[in-house]
Amino acid sequence: MTQSDLFAEPSAGPGPGPVAAALAAFRDSGSPWLALPFFREGAADAVAKKIDARVAAGAQVLPDPSAIFRALMLTPLPAVKAVILGQDPYPTPGDANGLAFSYVGGRRLPASLKVILAELAPEGETPDLSTGDLTPWAERGVLLLNSALTVEAGKAGAHLRLGWSQLTDEAVAAVSARAEPSVFLLWGAQARAREALIDTDRHGVVASGHPSPLNRARDFPGSRPFTRANAWLEKNGRAPIDWRLA
């Protein structure tokens, strides 16, 4: 299956819609994540069917189909060292690339991402805001997973109740079930609620408020999640993560 096949609109014939086609391509990849019940027991197919129905009805679904499962492709289960959970992709076409919080649009970085990147800068120094593409993190073992892997253009949260959350729960539980220690960076109430799925005797949790400027508690700035995550990894015998994007 070529990339152009994934981008194709659903035809009038019996062929699969774009999300079903993306799911089929992901299955062909042989990813270790395919062992999750979400993929084995039909939930993934049900979600794809719902979203393809929205496409057929005229909705513009984001990100591009080839990027829907990108977080799982770039960070297979055996490679996970850290987990960062987001909500859903940016709802503006061209902004999202399948990784939580990652931004590849042509405008200024989203406000939440600016707050996140500010925590990478040494105390008192100006953060590097030259890129918001978090692909290097995913390639170094950071699972950047949204609670919904798709959204509709201009409609943030549109797919949060279509069944994707089962995948997120199962992915968190699968990382937690491994003997090798990993660290979970949980930002905001929705992410922190999944701490119940984590074996905190074996894995680290670095929790804080959400980085959104709309968070009135402002309990993310200054929390230094990346420094704390690396300190936990080193203490538990794992190499720290290189959080640089350049």
Side-chain angles (χ1 to χ4, degrees):
M1 178 175 294
T2 66
Q3 186 169 356
S4 60
D5 291 328
L6 291 176
F7 283 87
E9 293 293 329
S11 66
V19 181
L23 175 59
F26 180 61
R27 284 195 167 112
D28 288 343
S29 75
S31 168
W33 293 111
L34 292 168
L36 297 179
F38 179 81
F39 295 108
R40 289 190 291 105
E41 298 176 2
D45 301 274
V47 172
K49 184 177 180 179
K50 292 176 186 176
I51 300 172
D52 280 334
R54 293 293 303 138
V55 173
Q60 183 177 7
V61 172
L62 306 172
D64 290 325
S66 61
I68 290 174
F69 297 101
R70 192 164 179 261
L72 303 179
M73 288 294 294
L74 288 181
T75 317
L77 179 57
V80 175
K81 294 176 67 174
V83 178
I84 294 177
L85 302 176
Q87 178 170 288
D88 57 352
Y90 297 113
T92 299
D95 285 359
N97 66 350
L99 307 176
F101 295 104
S102 185
Y103 178 79
V104 291
R107 303 175 307 283
R108 292 184 299 175
L109 298 187
S112 294
L113 185 55
K114 288 182 181 180
V115 174
I116 291 168
L117 297 181
E119 294 302 302
L120 290 173
E123 294 285 350
E125 293 192 14
T126 302
D128 180 5
L129 302 179
S130 60
T131 179
D133 184 357
L134 306 184
T135 297
W137 292 1
E139 294 172 338
R140 296 170 193 150
V142 183
L143 178 62
L144 296 163
L145 191 63
N146 278 316
S147 291
L149 302 193
T150 55
V151 71
E152 293 180 21
K155 298 180 179 179
H159 292 180
L160 286 174
R161 297 184 179 181
L162 293 188
W164 284 122
S165 60
Q166 179 182 337
L167 170 58
T168 311
D169 289 346
E170 290 179 3
V172 169
V175 175
S176 176
R178 298 188 315 158
E180 194 166 24
S182 298
V183 62
F184 293 79
L185 289 75
L186 305 180
W187 301 338
Q190 186 182 83
R192 291 201 304 266
R194 288 190 163 98
E195 185 172 352
L197 302 172
I198 301 168
D199 181 349
T200 54
D201 291 332
R202 287 189 294 182
H203 303 284
V205 171
V206 176
S208 64
H210 196 277
S212 169
L214 300 178
N215 173 11
R216 295 181 179 179
R218 299 289 292 167
D219 48 358
F220 184 90
S223 63
R224 314 306 292 178
F226 307 109
T227 301
R228 292 161 59 198
N230 275 350
W232 189 94
L233 288 169
E234 291 187 280
K235 182 179 179 181
N236 287 273
R238 302 204 70 182
I241 294 166
D242 180 0
W243 295 102
R244 293 174 297 178
L245 296 177

